[in-house]
Amino acid sequence: MTAPLSSLTAQIDRVDRARAARRLREPFRDERVTLSHGSGGRASRSLIEGLILPTLGALATTADEDSAVLSLSGLGHGRVAFTTDSYVVSPLFFPGGDIGSLAVHGTINDLATAGAQPVCLSLAFILEEGLEMDVLRSVLRSVGAAADAAGVKIVTGDTKVVPRGKADRLFINTSGIGLVAEGRSLSAMKMRVGDRVLLSGSIGEHGIAVMLAREALEIEADICSDSAPLHQMVADILEAAPTTRAFKDPTRGGVATSLNEMARQAGVAIAIAERQIPVRGDVRAACEMLGLDPLHIANEGKLLAIVPPAEANDALRAMRASPHGGSAAIIGEVLDGPQDMVLLKTEAGGSRVLDMLVGDPLPRIC
Amino acid sequence: MTAPLSSLTAQIDRVDRARAARRLREPFRDERVTLSHGSGGRASRSLIEGLILPTLGALATTADEDSAVLSLSGLGHGRVAFTTDSYVVSPLFFPGGDIGSLAVHGTINDLATAGAQPVCLSLAFILEEGLEMDVLRSVLRSVGAAADAAGVKIVTGDTKVVPRGKADRLFINTSGIGLVAEGRSLSAMKMRVGDRVLLSGSIGEHGIAVMLAREALEIEADICSDSAPLHQMVADILEAAPTTRAFKDPTRGGVATSLNEMARQAGVAIAIAERQIPVRGDVRAACEMLGLDPLHIANEGKLLAIVPPAEANDALRAMRASPHGGSAAIIGEVLDGPQDMVLLKTEAGGSRVLDMLVGDPLPRIC
């Protein structure tokens, strides 16, 4: 992020760790989630104070208030980004991540693509009665580690429990607040003809990793989710290419759906070249066996950027310098028509319309 | 709310209604939720543009961006309240409300009790495959009406779909942002010995109404949920009694649990008089038949306030003048001990310790 924002931090009011620590009178020994843990009464408090707060550690504030009150210091201009996502991925744990890290990265990335510096997250669980407490503990550790690595705080939360059979083990909602720098305004509607389309790396890994973990398919592959926080990459790109028009993280529906949404927002066409799009060999092979197009598969650590031609190479260099953007590429450009459409120049030399995802070949990948 | 805040509004950037309207090329005719509606692809877009945005109406921004960018005008001091809650109430519709109005009121009330002026909400659905679209439409209408009546905007959202049997029809998460006036700081930790405890009205109606709707019990009663937004009442009380220490909405776990939490936060005792606590006769009768204590039953439109003695009568008048506080009463006061405990002076003249809710006699009431 640009200099003025990098020094901004959220100061959380009303943190009283000594008091919270004093309350941990008894160790938390419950082995499974019961309906009482969702009652709001004694068992709920025990869960929060005995498991959730200690596992999240210094990242979380106390649970004494129903709202966190934040001093967004330096926020003279008063612009914030606000986003929400629920996570229902199945299985909960997959190569390269789990529902906890995903819930942190996904919401950070929705803030980052708005050009915001992520500041804080909320964390709300819906738990199924009978869930092993060790599963919740692992997810909490993962939430804590991901938030810590990304420099965001968990400032408020909620826990509900539903009877056995009324949910699938554990769902998470994270909402997030980020600070938007003065004058910063990113939107696909700012795209102009000739702008370049950049993609930060190889596609399809998250969706395929989750799919293989879920179905235990007989596909020999060592594919990990690309789940990662992208806010630093966004900040670096904006530093290098300050007139960048827009970002998007191609999650559900993949690159094809994201580009279609952007083309429709701006009322332009986007043309991309198949040969420029990085796809790992094993992802491509898995997609072929499953009859899927990698362009429709979800990513959780990739970034699309629309950049004016004069700054495209600077943006590309910034992407490639990022730990999550080593295989970044310029994959296409903005055309004036056919309006609202995405065109794919195939490796064979032809051209076809690339549609949004239709149907859902891979449900519950986030 | 005090004057400076009442004029603050959130200006939502990037709203482009004309464009959104243009896209509604086809009427939305799907009758049930399918997994495709959660894919992020064409069916998801159709659900958002064909049902969600039109039903929420002018309250919702477009779904073109993953984050809403808000100009919190006048926010020179930069303090916001942030809260989250998931709603899993069963049944979805009950006398006096439904999961949609509850999700708006509950989150507004968590902001209000922090002394914040609610500004905007997020709205995230987890839908079960097969859910009748008419159910979703009714819930959306209720969300829209409740948000409209309370003057808050739905600025960002998310929709996930899980396979049949993996959720119970429809869950909602709402998170919210509110503005906190300069110098405003409410906390149970500010309670002093002698402070009065005020309750804004009769208790137990929400929990009992949901319970009766769910179980179709043979109890003749006409009990409606008290679900209501409390931010205006909070503002009026703060106007009348500016040194009010803290508010709390006694939801899950009821008045007993809320008071216990506050006593523990402040390290004080709270004594309340049973005869002062308003309980409707039919609620009391239903509780007796079910073996429940009304003090442990959830409310969704009641407020507890801790007020210094000199301002207690002013606060009470403000509560009673509110449309949701007609039967408000002073129910008790803060004592210096026994620390962390709540004492109930019974109608019979005795006194007993009033504990937090233990177990969960009424699961899924919010």
Side-chain angles (χ1 to χ4, degrees):
Chain A
M1 195 55 57
T2 53
L5 261 189
S6 64
S7 64
L8 292 178
T9 55
Q11 301 297 329
I12 290 93
D13 293 351
R14 301 179 184 167
V15 177
D16 189 358
R17 296 196 193 293
R19 190 177 294 272
R22 174 173 71 78
R23 292 216 197 104
L24 296 170
R25 287 155 183 154
E26 304 132 36
F28 183 76
R29 292 211 178 90
D30 299 352
E31 290 188 358
R32 289 184 179 270
V33 170
T34 66
L35 288 172
S36 295
H37 290 118
S39 67
R42 186 171 292 282
S44 296
R45 178 120 316 242
S46 158
L47 177 70
I48 292 167
E49 295 180 1
L51 181 66
I52 296 180
L53 293 180
T55 309
L56 290 175
L59 291 158
T61 59
T62 67
D64 283 340
E65 312 284 349
D66 290 328
S67 291
V69 175
L70 311 166
S71 295
L72 300 173
S73 20
L75 185 57
H77 51 87
R79 289 173 74 229
V80 300
F82 180 35
T83 191
T84 191
D85 258 318
S86 295
Y87 298 84
V88 298
V89 64
S90 170
L92 298 177
F93 303 89
F94 45 82
D98 59 58
I99 192 170
S101 54
L102 190 64
V104 172
H105 295 156
T107 294
I108 284 176
N109 292 347
D110 282 343
L111 295 172
T113 54
Q117 167 91 341
V119 172
C120 60
L121 302 181
S122 63
L123 177 66
F125 286 105
I126 296 173
L127 306 177
E128 183 187 8
E129 179 188 18
L131 179 75
E132 307 86 335
M133 212 56 86
D134 279 345
V135 168
L136 179 57
R137 187 176 286 111
S138 293
V139 169
L140 283 164
R141 284 197 186 119
S142 176
V143 165
D148 191 30
V152 299
K153 287 201 176 350
I154 312 292
V155 297
T156 189
D158 180 51
T159 306
K160 294 292 191 303
V161 179
V162 296
R164 208 179 288 261
K166 300 298 186 185
D168 192 9
R169 308 188 79 197
L170 183 162
F171 300 144
I172 295 180
N173 178 284
T174 48
S175 300
I177 295 178
L179 298 179
V180 182
E182 183 99 56
R184 169 88 65 226
S185 176
L186 298 168
S187 169
M189 286 185 236
K190 302 200 163 189
M191 285 198 286
R192 307 265 172 81
V193 173
D195 284 351
R196 301 298 192 261
V197 179
L198 281 71
L199 172 64
S200 67
S202 55
I203 62 172
E205 287 143 43
H206 176 74
I208 296 297
V210 171
M211 179 78 169
L212 296 181
R214 186 192 313 163
E215 306 292 348
L217 292 171
E218 298 290 317
I219 295 177
E220 286 287 333
D222 188 23
I223 300 170
C224 286
S225 168
D226 61 339
S227 180
L230 298 172
H231 59 299
Q232 192 55 53
M233 188 195 293
V234 164
D236 294 345
I237 294 168
L238 288 172
E239 191 77 41
T243 54
T244 294
R245 316 292 193 195
F247 295 105
K248 194 150 186 101
D249 54 332
T251 56
R252 282 187 292 177
V255 165
T257 301
S258 290
L259 291 177
N260 267 281
E261 289 179 351
M262 296 175 99
R264 293 173 74 199
Q265 271 180 269
V268 298
I270 294 175
I272 59 173
E274 191 168 25
R275 83 171 60 173
Q276 302 301 324
I277 298 164
V279 188
R280 282 169 47 136
D282 49 7
V283 170
R284 189 183 300 281
C287 283
E288 278 171 10
M289 291 181 67
L290 297 166
L292 301 172
D293 184 340
L295 286 162
H296 282 139
I297 307 297
N299 312 277
E300 293 288 345
K302 295 302 181 309
L303 188 66
L304 288 163
I306 310 290
V307 186
E311 294 181 356
N313 284 323
D314 294 331
L316 183 64
R317 266 190 295 274
M319 270 189 176
R320 286 185 172 162
S322 154
H324 305 300
S327 58
I330 296 178
I331 64 165
E333 70 177 278
V334 177
L335 308 179
D336 63 357
Q339 207 181 331
D340 298 357
M341 296 184 86
V342 178
L343 303 174
L344 181 72
K345 295 180 195 164
T346 61
E347 301 212 39
S351 179
R352 67 175 174 89
V353 171
L354 181 64
D355 204 353
M356 284 191 180
L357 176 65
V358 175
D360 193 357
L362 295 182
R364 299 184 66 192
I365 42 71
C366 63
Chain B
M1 194 57 57
T2 53
L5 262 188
S6 64
S7 65
L8 292 177
T9 54
Q11 301 298 328
I12 289 95
D13 292 352
R14 299 178 185 167
V15 178
D16 188 358
R17 296 194 196 293
R19 192 177 292 275
R22 173 173 73 76
R23 293 216 194 104
L24 296 170
R25 287 157 183 152
E26 302 134 37
F28 183 76
R29 293 212 179 90
D30 299 353
E31 290 187 359
R32 287 184 180 271
V33 171
T34 66
L35 289 172
S36 295
H37 289 119
S39 67
R42 186 169 291 283
S44 295
R45 179 120 313 245
S46 158
L47 177 70
I48 292 168
E49 295 181 1
L51 182 66
I52 296 179
L53 293 180
T55 309
L56 289 176
L59 292 158
T61 59
T62 67
D64 284 341
E65 312 284 347
D66 290 327
S67 291
V69 175
L70 312 167
S71 294
L72 299 174
S73 20
L75 185 56
H77 50 88
R79 288 174 76 230
V80 299
F82 180 35
T83 191
T84 191
D85 258 318
S86 296
Y87 298 85
V88 298
V89 64
S90 171
L92 298 176
F93 303 89
F94 46 82
D98 60 59
I99 193 171
S101 54
L102 190 64
V104 171
H105 295 157
T107 295
I108 283 176
N109 292 348
D110 282 344
L111 295 172
T113 54
Q117 165 91 340
V119 172
C120 61
L121 302 181
S122 61
L123 178 66
F125 286 105
I126 297 174
L127 306 177
E128 183 186 8
E129 179 188 17
L131 179 75
E132 307 85 336
M133 211 57 83
D134 279 344
V135 169
L136 179 57
R137 187 176 286 111
S138 294
V139 169
L140 283 164
R141 282 197 187 118
S142 176
V143 166
D148 192 30
V152 300
K153 286 199 173 357
I154 312 292
V155 296
T156 189
D158 180 51
T159 307
K160 294 292 192 303
V161 180
V162 296
R164 207 178 289 262
K166 300 299 186 187
D168 192 9
R169 308 188 78 199
L170 184 161
F171 300 144
I172 295 181
N173 177 284
T174 48
S175 300
I177 295 178
L179 298 180
V180 183
E182 184 99 57
R184 170 88 65 229
S185 176
L186 298 167
S187 168
M189 285 185 240
K190 301 201 162 188
M191 286 198 285
R192 308 263 173 82
V193 173
D195 285 351
R196 300 298 191 261
V197 180
L198 280 70
L199 172 63
S200 67
S202 55
I203 62 171
E205 287 143 43
H206 175 75
I208 296 298
V210 171
M211 178 78 167
L212 295 181
R214 188 192 310 163
E215 306 292 347
L217 292 172
E218 298 290 317
I219 296 178
E220 287 286 334
D222 188 25
I223 300 169
C224 287
S225 168
D226 61 340
S227 180
L230 298 172
H231 59 299
Q232 192 55 53
M233 188 195 293
V234 164
D236 294 345
I237 294 168
L238 287 172
E239 192 77 40
T243 54
T244 295
R245 315 291 192 194
F247 296 106
K248 193 149 186 104
D249 54 331
T251 56
R252 282 187 292 177
V255 166
T257 301
S258 291
L259 292 178
N260 267 281
E261 289 179 351
M262 296 175 99
R264 294 174 74 199
Q265 270 180 270
V268 298
I270 294 175
I272 60 173
E274 192 169 25
R275 85 170 61 173
Q276 302 299 326
I277 298 165
V279 188
R280 283 170 47 136
D282 49 6
V283 170
R284 190 183 300 279
C287 283
E288 278 170 11
M289 292 181 65
L290 296 165
L292 301 172
D293 184 340
L295 286 162
H296 282 138
I297 307 296
N299 313 277
E300 292 289 345
K302 294 304 180 307
L303 188 65
L304 288 164
I306 310 291
V307 185
E311 295 180 357
N313 285 323
D314 295 330
L316 183 64
R317 267 191 294 275
M319 269 189 176
R320 286 185 173 162
S322 156
H324 307 299
S327 58
I330 297 178
I331 64 166
E333 69 177 277
V334 177
L335 308 179
D336 63 355
Q339 206 181 332
D340 299 357
M341 296 184 85
V342 178
L343 303 174
L344 180 73
K345 295 180 198 165
T346 63
E347 301 212 38
S351 178
R352 66 175 174 90
V353 171
L354 182 65
D355 204 353
M356 284 191 180
L357 176 65
V358 176
D360 193 357
L362 295 182
R364 298 185 65 192
I365 43 72
C366 62

